Amino acid sequence: MEKVYETIDYNMFKNLDGNRIIRDSHVRSLVDAIRKNDMKLPLIVNKKMEILDGQHTLEARKILKKVVQYIIRERLGIKDVRKVNASQHKWLNQDYLMSYYRLGNKEYAMLEYFVREYKLGIMFSVGLLTGKPRDPDRREFMDGKFKVTTFNRADEYAKRIHKVSEYLPFWKHDKFMRALVQCFEHRKFNWKLFLDKLENKSIKLQKQASRNDYMLALERFYNHGTNTRNRIAFDQFEPVPGNRRS
């Protein structure tokens, strides 16, 4: 059985590089829980006193001026921390992003900049930056294997999406952005022509329920009044069980 130590010296503990950022809301909820029923759950630290699990618990016990229980496990690292925390209090995309970013991963530094600059959402940004806007690989992202492959194109698409925001209130709807990117990638799509249509007839584009509906709406919007040979037609729709596009 592992030995459980106790201390009131909160400063002896250190943050582990790459661990997730402290969330005030989670600390507050733990403060309330400890006040109601203090189960005295121990922190897990390594021999350097870096917290592997329980950083929110430490902050809550500081606020309450409570004794801290802790267990020392010598051979655990940041990868083990991610696995432990994910099974207890789920890591969000932001946690994974900032974990790798704070460890100095240049690919995640580019992603962090892109997300901060354009505010289009983490997984949508991952899709743009990897050339997979329809199906970004979250497992690769979580495992630290994310690689930027299409930065210039992603940057151009992000700028276009923000331009669209001047005309459509639902521009940031995830399903709309994904459908819009598919428009951008169509070989016949002309950005200037699309922008001209938005400036004159944006009211004709309405919020839809699905990506498929957005694609149909964008196809009709773009083709209305457009020369036949310059019209676009999508043939890659998301499958809908029991339904086929005629």
Side-chain angles (χ1 to χ4, degrees), residues 208-228:
Q208 305 293 327
S210 70
R211 177 178 156 277
N212 282 356
D213 291 337
Y214 275 124
M215 288 176 66
L216 284 169
L218 285 165
E219 183 181 287
R220 290 166 181 158
F221 176 77
Y222 185 90
N223 290 338
H224 183 73
T226 300
N227 187 290
T228 304

Side-chain angles (χ1 to χ4, degrees), residues 113-233:
Y113 159 77
F114 194 88
V115 170
R116 178 165 39 83
E117 178 71 13
Y118 294 113
K119 298 176 176 58
L120 298 178
I122 292 175
M123 290 315 299
F124 182 78
S125 298
V126 166
L128 286 183
L129 290 167
T130 57
K132 302 175 183 176
R134 293 185 63 195
D135 190 26
D137 193 327
R138 187 167 187 263
R139 175 50 59 187
E140 275 192 354
F141 164 74
M142 291 166 59
D143 289 345
K145 298 176 182 178
F146 163 79
K147 299 286 184 185
V148 176
T149 59
T150 54
F151 183 86
N152 290 338
R153 183 170 63 180
D155 192 59
E156 176 63 25
Y157 286 178
K159 286 182 170 68
R160 288 182 180 183
I161 290 171
H162 272 270
K163 185 64 178 177
V164 170
S165 73
E166 298 175 15
Y167 306 99
L168 302 173
F170 53 85
W171 69 278
K172 212 171 182 181
H173 190 193
D174 183 76
K175 293 180 176 64
F176 173 72
M177 291 195 297
R178 294 183 190 280
L180 192 58
V181 168
Q182 192 153 347
C183 274
F184 297 161
E185 295 187 333
H186 194 285
R187 62 185 180 84
K188 289 187 176 182
F189 180 82
N190 183 298
W191 168 243
K192 186 177 184 304
L193 174 61
F194 182 71
L195 203 56
D196 288 342
K197 289 177 178 289
L198 279 179
E199 289 176 352
N200 295 300
K201 301 176 181 179
S202 62
I203 194 171
K204 291 184 177 295
L205 270 177
Q206 300 296 318
K207 188 174 182 179
Q208 305 293 327
S210 70
R211 177 178 156 277
N212 282 356
D213 291 337
Y214 275 124
M215 288 176 66
L216 284 169
L218 285 165
E219 183 181 287
R220 290 166 181 158
F221 176 77
Y222 185 90
N223 290 338
H224 183 73
T226 300
N227 187 290
T228 304
R229 68 174 179 273
N230 294 324
R231 292 178 181 177
I232 60 177

